[in-house]
Amino acid sequence: MLLTSLRKGDVLTHVGPSIVDNEGMVDARGGLRLPFSSLVPALATGGAVPITLKRGGRPVEAGMEVTREDDRLIRPYSGRYPAYFVHGPLVFSPAAADAIPAYAEGNPPAMPGSPLVTCAGDRVAFPGEELVVVASPILPHAMARGYQDPFGQVVKDVDGIPVRNLAHLIGLLRDVTGEHLTIRFFGELSETLVFSRREMEAATAGLLEENGIPRRGTEDALAAWGGGPDASR
């Protein structure tokens, strides 16, 4: 079975022997019409499902690779404890679909232009891709005075380096060597934060204690913090 990925312009006509109509539905037993994806679990063998499509006007019989892994860019918690990491007055965590309503309610100006909205249906572009969000209102500290609260905003880059996931962000925070740390966010109304690198690190322990946060981060986040330069790649 020739394996293929769908391309722009492909028209899916069959999944297995079943005809896929113009609404992406197939006829099932008992006169039911169901989404074609309902056939995938029963038809998938060896990580692929047989399909027929039209490509360039010609019929092509092939196999489409399928997986049990959730490859959505913004996934739900699904019972998992969320990963997090505290650095200075900021608490970072991967964006989760369940939390978006709380971000929107707590900081409505953060939503216009945010990937939480514009990328809601996207799939990951590379293995391990995550949107990293400020998951808590900014912790009170003198260094944060004058800044807008970035609660619910997605981190765009650290010192100009685009953030790929939480572990990558943690590595960037750990390995920065300049006097200042610059954090930019996505969004039409986002504000760039510039902090003293040393002051951010020095303030973290006190902020944890003052706000009743027992640990700086989850185990995976702390492993990234102590993982050396390679953890930022």
Side-chain angles (χ1 to χ4, degrees):
M1 182 166 53
L2 173 67
L3 294 180
T4 188
S5 298
L6 294 179
R7 304 175 187 173
K8 185 176 181 180
D10 284 350
V11 178
L12 183 64
T13 61
H14 295 73
V15 174
S18 299
I19 298 173
V20 180
D21 67 19
N22 290 337
E23 296 179 336
M25 308 292 282
V26 295
D27 291 330
R29 292 180 180 177
L32 294 175
R33 291 178 68 247
L34 299 174
F36 75 84
S37 57
S38 64
L39 300 178
V40 171
L43 294 175
T45 57
V49 62
I51 62 171
T52 304
L53 53 86
K54 284 188 177 180
R55 175 174 292 167
R58 296 183 177 181
V60 176
E61 294 185 1
M64 182 170 61
E65 291 184 293
V66 293
T67 178
R68 292 179 180 272
E69 295 184 11
D70 190 342
D71 67 347
R72 287 175 291 179
L73 177 59
I74 307 175
R75 298 181 292 277
Y77 288 127
S78 300
R80 295 169 297 159
Y81 188 82
Y84 76 90
F85 185 74
V86 182
H87 193 63
L90 300 175
V91 182
F92 300 103
S93 183
D98 317 59
I100 293 176
Y103 299 148
E105 181 178 355
N107 189 7
M111 293 299 106
S114 170
L116 298 178
V117 177
T118 61
C119 300
D122 286 7
R123 305 288 173 175
V124 295
F126 53 84
E129 183 185 15
E130 293 174 331
L131 298 179
V132 181
V133 68
V134 177
S136 164
I138 197 166
L139 303 178
H141 193 275
M143 77 174 76
R145 288 176 188 162
Y147 283 124
Q148 301 170 1
D149 189 349
F151 173 59
Q153 292 187 341
V154 177
V155 182
K156 183 177 184 179
D157 60 57
V158 173
D159 286 350
I161 301 176
V163 171
R164 299 197 297 267
N165 51 44
L166 180 62
H168 182 231
L169 168 68
I170 293 169
L172 294 174
L173 296 174
R174 180 198 60 225
D175 297 337
V176 65
T177 58
E179 180 180 353
H180 294 97
L181 180 69
T182 301
I183 303 174
R184 295 196 304 161
F185 301 91
F186 290 97
E188 297 172 7
L189 302 177
S190 65
E191 183 178 41
T192 299
L193 304 183
V194 181
F195 295 119
S196 163
R197 174 177 60 86
R198 291 194 176 120
E199 186 179 8
M200 260 195 116
E201 180 57 35
T204 300
L207 284 166
L208 293 174
E209 183 176 357
E210 291 167 12
N211 291 276
I213 304 173
R215 301 178 63 195
R216 183 170 188 175
T218 47
E219 289 186 9
D220 51 349
L222 295 176
W225 181 252
D230 287 344
S232 68
R233 295 176 187 168

